[in-house]
Amino acid sequence: MMENGGYVGQYGDDGGYMEQEEEWEREGLLDPAWEKQQKKTFTAWCNSHLRKAGTSIDNIEDDFRNGLKLMLLLEVISGETLPKPDRGKMRFHKIANVNKALDFIASKGVKLVSIGAEEIVDGNLKMTLGMIWTIILRFAIQDISVEEMTAKEGLLLWCQRKTAPYKNVNVQNFHLSFKDGLAFCALIHRHRPDLIDYSKLSKDNPLENLNTAFDVAEKYLDIPRMLDPDDLINTPKPDERAIMTYVSCYYHAFQGAQQAETAANRICKVLKVNQENERLMEEYERLASDLLEWIRRTMPWLNSRQSDSTLAGVQKKLEEYRTYRRKHKPPRVEQKAKLETNFNTLQTKLRLSNRPAYMPTEGKMVSDITNAWKGLEHAEKSFEEWLLAETMRLERLEHLAQKFKHKADTHEDWTKGKEEMLQSQDFRNCKLNELKALKKKHEAFESDLAAHQDRVEQIAAIAQELNTLEYHDCASVNARCQRICDQWDRLGVLTQRRCQGLDEAERILEKIDLLHLEFAKRAAPFNNWLDGAREDLVDMFIVHTMEEIQGLIQAHDQFKATLGEADKEFNVIIGLVRDAEAIVKQEQVPGGLVNPYTTLSADLISRKWSEVRALVPQRDQTLANELRKQQNNEMLRRQFAEKANAVGPWIERQMDAVTAIGMGISGSLEEQLHRLKEYEQAVYAYKPSIEELEKIHQSVQESMIFENRYTHYTMETLRVGWEQLLTSINRNINEVENQILTRDSKGITQEQLTEFRSSFNHFDKNRTGRLAPEEFKSCLVSLGYSIGKDKQGDMDFQRILAVVDPNSSGYVQFDAFLDFMTRESTDTDTAEQVIDSFRILASDRPYILPDELRRELPPDQAEYCIQRMPPYKGPNAIPGALDYMSFSTALYGESDL
């Protein structure tokens, strides 16, 4: 501040009072009306304070001459006690009293130049006005400070801000801007709209405007009239000291309301941030609970291995699983991505608003959701593998069950009547040739019985395999197998007994028809061969590869190669019958056409041979159809592999590109965000390729194809890769948006951001987008952050780590790192600021009442405070008192409230 031969302009003046006026007078610029205006205004101002002491002045240059009322004025406005005045009436007594007043003014840091006690005692009006102006500046205007401006500039800025919304008001100074009275009316209406109807005022009625403002201020605001409306209107340039003095009374009258308004605005801002954060926390809790509950409900179904043990039942479960993957899971994938995005955004907002990090309810951390999701994916993979394995197992079981039934039916058809035949005693009354015939017949039967031993063993082996594979109807299979085995044992016993009976009778009956016997011997194995061939030709089969069907075709071709020899054997057997018929006809042997050694006949052998020959081309056709099916399966394998070998690398390339952008290696954040959204659009545009692949995959599964040597990609790995790509894009977009939010709110430059990103990436060796604690420490050191290697340095680093990794995940994300690097330079609201705001609303009391909150704050925010503030339990507490200090510290995580 510069001295100018008088009062130093510390409070808004530009120089010494007397020197300034003398300069204006020399230049012919001093308006005599100014002195008149000052005298009136300063007198009214002094009386507004002196009335508190029960006195007043009438003539400002005379009533202060003895110094008594001057000292009294200073005591009233300062609240301090001056030295005891001299009560004598001599001139030196008066000078002593005025000097005591001037010394008190000087003790307040005010330099008085050219103003002496003698001039005041002599009644010098100019000097007296200068002294009063000095007192007004020091005690009424000095403390007015807006945005660290001088008192005069601060008072002017206060007027400009308060009157800015009003029509026809443009406050630029303290003389011409107030002449029409609208500025005074606007100041009153801004703070007390109930006292003046501003809409009815006109710029063309300055006298009415001034009188309205002065009357209302005097009546309702206890501000006496200090200005004369006529003087203001008729003076070309009114005195700014007089107007400043009067306007300062308005400032002080409204100062309490101004502080309350400022305090209320700060509280509302803080509460609004807190309410929005709580809404995001509740939204996170709701989404997390819903997703975890869905996973909890889904897991028992995926972990279940219960089925009705039928192929149709398992195929139905497989279709249900496909529906789950197509319809039910995709919305949950989006929900999980949204959950993670909301959580990151919330943590960013909490950091930016100087709030403690959000800790979700136990069991609902992002890590809990990630672990639950991994468990779900593991269960899905296991469930699908079980379904496919169960399908193969049940398909084989169905095949074995049909094969068991077919062989059992054939065997039981053969055994019909055999027990009755073996138990017959017909040989007891036979002739010799008949007995021999019965014996030969029995020998043939024994041969046939031995030939059937293999079939019985096959039936038992199939039953055993069905038991091993846990066939659902094992009980009936076992019962039938047991009946066949029991019957087989009985047949063996009965056969032995009949053989013994025939041997006993053989001593009498020896003649036998050798020709018929030869037929029986050759026809029996041939007939058995025919039965076996017929069974093989109609045997059901199941294959899954080209190699298996080609093996069956090769075996069938080998069988066909044996048909030539079989045809020769058939002709030999039929030739025996023809020879026998010729001998019987030639020799006229009674009953000679009946073969006593076998029940087989030439017609039966011929019919079976015809059936076998007819079944051969049918088998050819069946194998050809299966070959075409396997060829089609091979085509499906190639189709799937071709598409998968294109989709898989595409997903991997997109993932690499998104990861590279997420590292922030090049370009501004807006450019990174733009490229990420372009990738997001490209990924969604690529979705038809995934859907097409799903259709091919469904055809592959429906065709019972369980392996594909043409690709290492499976549908499951592609699904997971696709979901991970979508999640990665979403997460990177969210991280970039949060970085933009942090950058803009912190006011950091692109160069600073680039430096932080470059340093972060340098230590992020694995390109994971996060730093381990030791990597983070090295990064801080590289940026010039001092961290000692002693115990204190370790403690400092642990405190920093608690800030950037509040959830103790073991890693530092880039947005938390960025927030930490810029935190110290930001201006954020604090608990102390909120406490100070509440203290203003509470009139400096340590507690606040509900009615005060409802009066000063919007309804929703007032109720928010009332519901959460604990009762005040300090000294002098009254009913209903609330503890705003604990509430404020709790907002910033500084208490356990």
Side-chain angles (χ1 to χ4, degrees):
M1 289 178 287
M2 183 181 296
E3 293 187 17
N4 190 18
Y7 166 71
V8 179
Q10 184 179 359
Y11 309 115
D13 202 2
D14 298 321
Y17 179 85
M18 300 304 297
E19 283 73 9
Q20 185 69 71
E21 289 202 349
E22 289 174 1
E23 182 180 344
W24 287 342
E25 191 172 7
R26 286 195 302 272
E27 296 177 1
L29 299 175
L30 183 62
D31 189 337
W34 289 1
E35 188 173 277
K36 176 184 176 183
Q37 291 172 8
Q38 288 180 18
K39 181 177 180 180
K40 178 179 179 64
T41 301
F42 292 177
T43 299
W45 183 85
C46 291
N47 283 333
S48 71
H49 293 286
L50 287 172
R51 66 184 178 182
K52 300 174 184 176
T55 187
S56 64
I57 62 171
D58 295 322
N59 194 323
I60 195 168
E61 67 269 32
D62 292 333
D63 292 349
F64 285 137
R65 291 177 65 179
N66 62 6
L68 296 177
K69 288 189 177 181
L70 179 59
M71 293 177 71
L72 183 60
L73 174 66
L74 290 173
E75 287 184 343
V76 171
I77 62 178
S78 69
E80 301 179 26
T81 302
L82 271 68
K84 187 175 181 179
D86 292 355
R87 291 298 179 179
K89 296 184 179 181
M90 302 298 289
R91 176 179 173 82
F92 73 88
H93 291 126
K94 297 178 182 179
I95 290 175
N97 289 337
V98 172
N99 273 325
K100 290 177 182 179
L102 295 179
D103 290 343
F104 178 79
I105 295 173
S107 72
K108 298 302 179 184
V110 180
K111 292 184 178 181
L112 294 169
V113 182
S114 300
I115 299 179
E118 290 79 1
E119 286 85 356
I120 305 301
V121 172
D122 292 339
N124 187 316
L125 178 60
K126 285 189 173 73
M127 289 298 180
T128 301
L129 292 176
M131 179 188 66
I132 298 302
W133 173 240
T134 300
I135 293 173
I136 292 171
L137 282 173
R138 173 60 183 83
F139 294 101
I141 300 178
Q142 174 187 355
D143 293 334
I144 299 174
S145 178
V146 180
E147 294 187 357
E148 300 182 358
M149 293 184 171
T150 64
K152 179 180 178 181
E153 293 169 339
L155 185 61
L156 184 65
L157 180 59
W158 178 79
C159 294
Q160 290 172 340
R161 288 182 174 177
K162 294 300 179 180
T163 61
Y166 292 88
K167 183 179 179 182
N168 295 326
V169 178
N170 183 18
V171 178
Q172 297 297 325
N173 50 58
F174 285 111
H175 35 77
L176 299 179
S177 297
F178 286 86
K179 284 191 66 173
D180 59 12
L182 288 179
F184 292 117
C185 292
L187 286 174
I188 296 173
H189 184 269
R190 178 64 181 270
H191 295 90
R192 291 290 303 277
D194 56 312
L195 299 180
I196 291 180
D197 187 352
Y198 187 85
S199 63
K200 294 183 178 179
L201 302 180
S202 170
K203 191 176 182 65
D204 299 329
N205 298 318
L207 185 61
E208 179 182 346
N209 298 339
L210 290 167
N211 278 315
T212 297
F214 295 167
D215 289 342
V216 168
E218 186 171 36
K219 182 176 180 180
Y220 297 103
L221 303 178
D222 198 27
I223 301 175
R225 277 178 173 259
M226 298 182 183
L227 301 173
D228 188 322
D230 292 328
D231 289 345
L232 290 178
I233 294 173
N234 296 326
T235 303
K237 185 178 181 182
D239 180 59
E240 70 172 3
R241 292 181 177 83
I243 293 177
M244 279 180 65
T245 301
Y246 185 54
V247 171
S248 70
C249 295
Y250 279 67
Y251 177 87
H252 290 296
F254 297 130
Q255 185 179 22
Q258 174 72 16
Q259 291 176 341
E261 178 184 349
T262 302
N265 288 340
R266 175 176 289 278
I267 291 170
C268 289
K269 175 185 174 185
V270 171
L271 294 180
K272 184 177 180 182
V273 170
N274 235 57
Q275 288 171 314
E276 173 62 15
N277 290 342
E278 286 185 4
R279 186 192 67 77
L280 289 175
M281 293 175 190
E282 291 171 0
E283 175 71 4
Y284 174 85
E285 292 284 340
R286 185 185 64 78
L287 288 176
S289 298
D290 181 61
L291 183 59
L292 289 170
E293 174 61 19
W294 176 78
I295 293 174
R296 186 191 66 78
R297 293 196 312 268
T298 305
M299 288 296 286
W301 174 65
L302 292 174
N303 290 328
S304 172
R305 298 297 182 264
Q306 299 296 321
S307 71
D308 59 1
S309 297
T310 65
L311 186 60
V314 174
Q315 288 175 337
K316 180 182 179 183
K317 276 185 172 288
L318 186 59
E319 184 57 36
E320 290 173 353
Y321 178 71
R322 293 193 188 110
T323 302
Y324 157 80
R325 288 309 304 250
R326 288 195 305 267
K327 296 181 180 179
H328 300 303
K329 190 183 178 188
R332 297 299 177 171
V333 174
E334 296 176 5
Q335 182 179 357
K336 177 175 176 288
K338 180 181 178 182
L339 194 66
E340 294 173 349
T341 297
N342 287 358
F343 182 80
N344 292 335
T345 300
L346 171 60
Q347 297 292 39
T348 298
K349 288 187 174 182
L350 288 172
R351 284 196 303 273
L352 295 179
S353 60
N354 201 25
R355 301 304 196 274
Y358 166 56
M359 292 295 290
T361 305
E362 185 176 357
K364 297 177 185 175
M365 300 283 290
V366 172
S367 59
D368 295 322
I369 294 169
T370 300
N371 291 335
W373 190 263
K374 288 180 180 177
L376 179 73
E377 291 178 335
H378 177 74
E380 288 173 349
K381 183 175 183 297
S382 177
F383 186 56
E384 186 173 20
E385 290 174 351
W386 173 75
L387 285 173
L388 296 176
E390 191 69 1
T391 299
M392 295 177 65
R393 185 180 74 83
L394 291 176
E395 185 183 35
R396 175 161 179 76
L397 280 177
E398 290 293 330
H399 169 69
L400 287 173
Q402 291 295 324
K403 191 169 185 178
F404 174 82
K405 181 179 180 303
H406 175 69
K407 288 187 175 293
D409 287 343
T410 303
H411 175 76
E412 288 172 347
D413 285 343
W414 177 81
T415 61
K416 284 180 182 178
K418 293 295 189 293
E419 288 190 67
E420 293 78 1
M421 181 270 293
L422 292 173
Q423 292 170 343
S424 172
Q425 298 296 315
D426 54 349
F427 60 87
R428 297 293 182 186
N429 301 314
C430 288
K431 298 178 182 179
L432 180 59
N433 62 327
E434 293 172 341
L435 180 61
K436 288 185 178 292
L438 284 177
K439 186 175 181 180
K440 296 301 182 183
K441 180 180 179 181
H442 187 70
E443 291 174 355
F445 173 76
E446 286 182 317
S447 177
D448 199 8
L449 186 67
H452 275 78
Q453 176 69 31
D454 182 56
R455 181 175 297 153
V456 174
E457 291 174 353
Q458 288 180 10
I459 291 172
I462 295 173
Q464 179 60 41
E465 188 170 0
L466 287 171
N467 277 275
T468 301
L469 295 177
E470 298 178 356
Y471 180 55
H472 70 94
D473 196 16
C474 279
S476 61
V477 169
N478 291 339
R480 190 173 187 184
C481 181
Q482 189 61 48
R483 288 196 302 271
I484 290 173
C485 290
D486 291 344
Q487 184 190 43
W488 184 254
D489 292 339
R490 290 196 302 273
L491 288 177
V493 173
L494 293 174
T495 299
Q496 185 65 28
R497 289 176 183 174
R498 185 171 178 83
C499 182
Q500 292 172 355
L502 290 172
D503 287 341
E504 185 179 348
E506 190 178 14
R507 293 191 301 269
I508 303 169
L509 304 174
E510 294 177 351
K511 191 174 181 180
I512 188 167
D513 191 337
L514 294 177
L515 192 58
H516 281 226
L517 179 59
E518 182 66 18
F519 171 83
K521 287 181 177 181
R522 302 194 70 154
F526 187 69
N527 178 68
N528 191 56
W529 177 86
L530 287 174
D531 289 340
R534 183 169 56 180
E535 285 185 28
D536 291 341
L537 289 172
V538 299
D539 187 26
M540 292 174 287
F541 58 84
I542 178 170
V543 295
H544 295 98
T545 65
M546 287 290 294
E547 291 76 8
E548 291 176 349
I549 186 60
Q550 287 170 348
L552 290 177
I553 292 174
Q554 183 178 4
H556 184 60
D557 290 340
Q558 292 173 353
F559 168 76
K560 289 193 292 185
T562 66
L563 291 179
E565 290 297 324
D567 187 59
K568 293 178 180 178
E569 181 66 12
F570 170 73
N571 291 326
V572 169
I573 292 171
I574 296 302
L576 291 173
V577 176
R578 300 289 179 263
D579 291 345
E581 290 175 348
I583 294 171
V584 168
K585 183 178 180 180
Q586 181 179 358
E587 301 295 335
Q588 297 294 312
V589 177
L593 295 179
V594 178
N595 193 327
Y597 306 115
T598 181
T599 59
L600 297 175
S601 66
D603 291 340
L604 178 62
I605 297 298
S606 297
R607 178 172 59 78
K608 287 186 177 182
W609 175 244
S610 298
E611 289 178 1
V612 168
R613 295 181 65 180
L615 287 172
V616 170
Q618 293 178 16
R619 184 71 168 184
D620 288 335
Q621 185 61 44
T622 301
L623 292 172
N625 292 340
E626 184 62 29
L627 178 62
R628 285 193 296 273
K629 176 184 174 183
Q630 292 303 321
Q631 288 171 340
N632 181 66
N633 288 354
E634 193 72 0
M635 179 191 69
L636 284 175
R637 288 189 183 93
R638 293 180 183 275
Q639 263 188 329
F640 179 84
E642 180 180 0
K643 193 68 178 178
N645 289 338
V647 170
W650 186 88
I651 291 176
E652 293 163 1
R653 290 194 302 273
Q654 301 300 105
M655 183 67 80
D656 291 342
V658 169
T659 300
I661 295 175
M663 297 304 296
I665 297 173
S666 63
S668 67
L669 290 176
E670 284 74 14
E671 291 171 342
Q672 296 172 28
L673 184 60
H674 178 70
R675 292 203 300 275
L676 284 170
K677 291 188 175 180
E678 285 182 341
Y679 275 104
E680 184 180 36
Q681 294 175 357
V683 168
Y684 280 113
Y686 199 72
K687 190 173 183 180
S689 297
I690 300 294
E691 292 172 347
E692 181 183 351
L693 195 58
E694 284 281 9
K695 292 179 182 178
I696 299 174
H697 178 63
Q698 181 170 344
S699 298
V700 167
Q701 285 194 332
E702 288 172 351
S703 298
M704 298 297 176
I705 301 173
F706 302 110
E707 47 79 31
N708 193 338
R709 61 181 177 275
Y710 300 114
T711 180
H712 67 278
Y713 292 105
T714 66
M715 195 65 238
E716 178 63 24
T717 59
L718 294 176
R719 286 192 200 114
V720 172
W722 175 258
E723 293 171 357
Q724 289 177 345
L725 177 59
L726 287 175
T727 301
S728 177
I729 291 176
N730 189 281
R731 183 172 58 250
N732 276 284
I733 288 176
N734 176 247
E735 289 178 355
V736 173
E737 289 175 341
N738 285 341
Q739 291 172 27
I740 292 174
L741 179 63
T742 302
R743 181 199 65 191
D744 295 344
S745 66
K746 301 292 186 177
I748 62 175
T749 65
Q750 182 62 43
E751 289 74 16
Q752 290 174 307
L753 187 63
T754 301
E755 179 187 1
F756 293 151
R757 170 55 84 177
S758 176
S759 182
F760 187 91
N761 287 349
H762 175 76
F763 292 96
D764 182 15
K765 304 297 185 182
N766 298 327
R767 296 296 183 261
T768 60
R770 60 189 188 181
L771 298 180
E774 288 303 317
E775 294 172 332
F776 173 58
K777 180 186 287 187
S778 301
C779 185
L780 289 179
V781 173
S782 74
L783 289 169
Y785 206 97
S786 177
I787 299 177
K789 295 183 179 181
D790 54 5
K791 183 177 181 180
Q792 182 61 42
D794 185 63
M795 293 172 61
D796 293 340
F797 179 68
Q798 291 303 319
R799 281 196 293 270
I800 296 173
L801 203 60
V803 172
V804 296
D805 184 20
N807 296 322
S808 300
S809 65
Y811 294 96
V812 179
Q813 306 290 343
F814 179 72
D815 58 348
F817 165 77
L818 177 62
D819 177 65
F820 171 77
M821 292 306 298
T822 57
R823 173 175 294 193
E824 300 302 324
S825 62
T826 60
D827 181 20
T828 58
D829 56 275
T830 65
E832 289 74 16
Q833 292 173 331
V834 177
I835 290 174
D836 290 342
S837 299
F838 274 118
R839 184 179 289 112
I840 292 173
L841 300 186
S843 301
D844 287 330
R845 295 193 309 273
Y847 59 84
I848 193 166
L849 300 176
D851 289 343
E852 292 172 328
L853 289 169
R854 293 189 177 100
R855 182 177 69 245
E856 300 293 347
L857 300 179
D860 62 327
Q861 295 189 337
E863 295 305 319
Y864 178 86
C865 292
I866 292 170
Q867 292 173 9
R868 287 165 172 77
M869 280 187 184
Y872 176 72
K873 298 179 180 179
N876 303 321
I878 64 174
L882 301 174
D883 185 354
Y884 61 79
M885 293 186 183
S886 297
F887 171 77
S888 300
T889 55
L891 289 177
Y892 295 85
E894 298 173 13
S895 77
D896 296 328
L897 183 61

